[in-house]
Amino acid sequence: MQIITTKSELTRQASACIRQGKTIGFVPTMGALHEGHASLIRRACSENEVCFVSVFVNPTQFNNAEDLQKYPRTLEKDAELLESLGVHFVFAPTSNEMYSAEEMAESFEFDFDGLDKVMEGKMRPGHFNGVVQVVSRLFELVCPTRAYFGEKDFQQLAIIRYMVERSALAHNFKNIQIIGCPIVREKSGLAMSSRNERLSNEERQTAVAISKTLIASMEWAKTDTVAAVQQRVIDTINAVDGLDVEYYAIVDKSTLQPTNSWKNAVGCVTVFCGPVRLIDNILY
Ligand code: PAF
């Protein structure tokens, strides 16, 4: 496995693979890798001849300086896991390598036909512009055959699919296949996340109520309306000491707009467990 820190070396290696006619699987990450990432990487390694993984805590997608500062950084441990999974190339640049000073300060807005105006996009203004800025940059450098993303970040996945299929950037990326992979959960049901590392043991127990409530809501959905289930999920989670729902929205899984129908519905939740912001979702 080779660890690459410069964009020029990344392009050189990726271009060499493309010239040799090899298929490239790519998994972009922000590090602090867990079993959820490992599931994407295993799939990328098994479905492609070469596997590239990026490990970069992207500053432009954080709208909260403290969140950026506290985001776990565990490159040495991550590299061991990546090597054991059979990854060929890891791209781990510094922020200065990734962005010029002007790019860091640049304020731009992509148009995602409203997909970015709800839920995470509403709560974290600018977040998805930062995600698309970095993912599009990485796609340009790697030119992957397939790129893998977790369904835990349901809205992110929808926006990246839109970017590849329909946005102004689509012409650059029309040959990239975007693969969504199922949420990986701890035995307790808690959705795996790099942010879980910041939970105390007690908070980890408390956070289990999030997935438990989402699973219970599948039953409620058999008899109740969307509005009633939405409210019941919020009330049930908020009733747990230490949990505070930021939003729970039952939306259409393609448009991400609120829906009254159970057809194609997905419920997306963000909950503060102490200071840690956790997200999860469930398809009805
Ligand atoms: O999901 C993530 O970890 C990040 O948003 C991504 C896609 C690696 C972009 O920084």
Side-chain angles (χ1 to χ4, degrees):
M1 183 178 86
Q2 186 181 336
I3 300 186
I4 299 172
T5 55
T6 63
K7 287 184 287 189
S8 54
E9 178 62 8
L10 177 64
T11 316
R12 204 176 70 76
Q13 293 293 356
S15 309
C17 295
I18 293 165
R19 269 199 310 278
Q20 291 160 29
K22 291 183 174 160
T23 52
I24 298 180
F26 176 48
V27 185
T29 81
M30 296 207 298
L33 303 178
H34 50 69
E35 192 44 43
H37 296 108
S39 72
L40 308 183
I41 294 163
R42 278 192 205 99
R43 195 159 162 198
C45 288
S46 74
E47 294 179 350
N48 302 278
E49 286 157 292
V50 199
C51 180
F52 283 70
V53 173
S54 62
V55 176
F56 176 60
V57 182
N58 173 35
T60 68
Q61 70 187 74
F62 285 81
N63 54 339
N64 176 323
E66 195 188 339
D67 195 22
L68 171 61
Q69 189 225 325
K70 292 215 164 129
Y71 202 87
R73 289 159 173 87
T74 56
L75 184 58
E76 229 171 274
K77 196 166 143 227
D78 292 345
E80 278 171 27
L81 175 69
L82 294 170
E83 176 119 56
S84 75
L85 290 169
V87 169
H88 301 91
F89 296 99
V90 178
F91 179 51
T94 60
S95 293
N96 289 345
E97 172 65 21
M98 203 59 193
Y99 299 118
S100 66
E102 299 80 66
E103 284 169 333
M104 277 289 259
E106 217 168 45
S107 148
F108 56 90
E109 218 175 300
F110 296 107
D111 178 8
F112 298 113
D113 199 21
L115 290 175
D116 57 327
K117 299 286 181 268
V118 293
M119 302 189 293
E120 287 302 278
K122 194 164 164 192
M123 296 301 166
R124 303 177 69 188
H127 168 66
F128 287 118
N129 282 315
V131 170
V132 166
Q133 180 186 25
V134 76
V135 171
S136 59
R137 173 72 48 93
L138 291 166
F139 280 3
E140 273 159 10
L141 296 169
V142 179
C143 297
T145 318
R146 300 181 187 87
Y148 297 79
F149 294 86
E151 284 171 357
K152 182 169 80 67
D153 296 294
F154 195 88
Q155 190 171 8
Q156 169 173 282
L157 178 58
I159 287 172
I160 288 167
R161 281 195 201 286
Y162 183 92
M163 167 181 106
V164 166
E165 286 162 16
R166 278 166 291 169
S167 84
L169 298 163
H171 66 281
N172 290 334
F173 306 131
K174 63 178 188 308
N175 294 325
I176 304 175
Q177 216 180 311
I178 302 298
I179 317 267
C181 302
I183 298 178
V184 178
R185 296 183 179 279
E186 295 183 3
K187 267 207 190 96
S188 64
L190 178 65
M192 290 209 181
S193 163
S194 304
R195 289 172 201 271
N196 293 355
E197 287 203 9
R198 290 177 52 206
L199 297 170
S200 65
N201 285 342
E202 199 187 324
E203 284 167 342
R204 219 169 241 266
Q205 302 287 324
T206 307
V208 171
I210 303 168
S211 55
K212 269 203 172 136
T213 307
L214 293 184
I215 290 163
S217 75
M218 296 284 282
E219 277 304 308
W220 307 339
K222 289 180 183 161
T223 48
D224 285 347
T225 63
V226 167
V229 171
Q230 190 163 284
Q231 194 55 48
R232 191 165 168 191
V233 166
I234 294 170
D235 294 344
T236 308
I237 298 177
N238 277 339
V240 178
D241 231 14
L243 296 184
D244 186 11
V245 176
E246 188 177 55
Y247 66 80
Y248 180 58
I250 299 179
V251 298
D252 178 274
K253 70 177 183 185
S254 307
T255 64
L256 303 186
Q257 300 309 307
T259 178
N260 290 323
S261 154
W262 287 116
K263 197 166 167 240
N264 289 329
V266 57
C268 298
V269 74
T270 292
V271 180
F272 279 95
C273 180
V276 185
R277 193 172 179 276
L278 300 172
I279 69 173
D280 201 344
N281 65 70
I282 195 149
L283 278 162
Y284 288 103

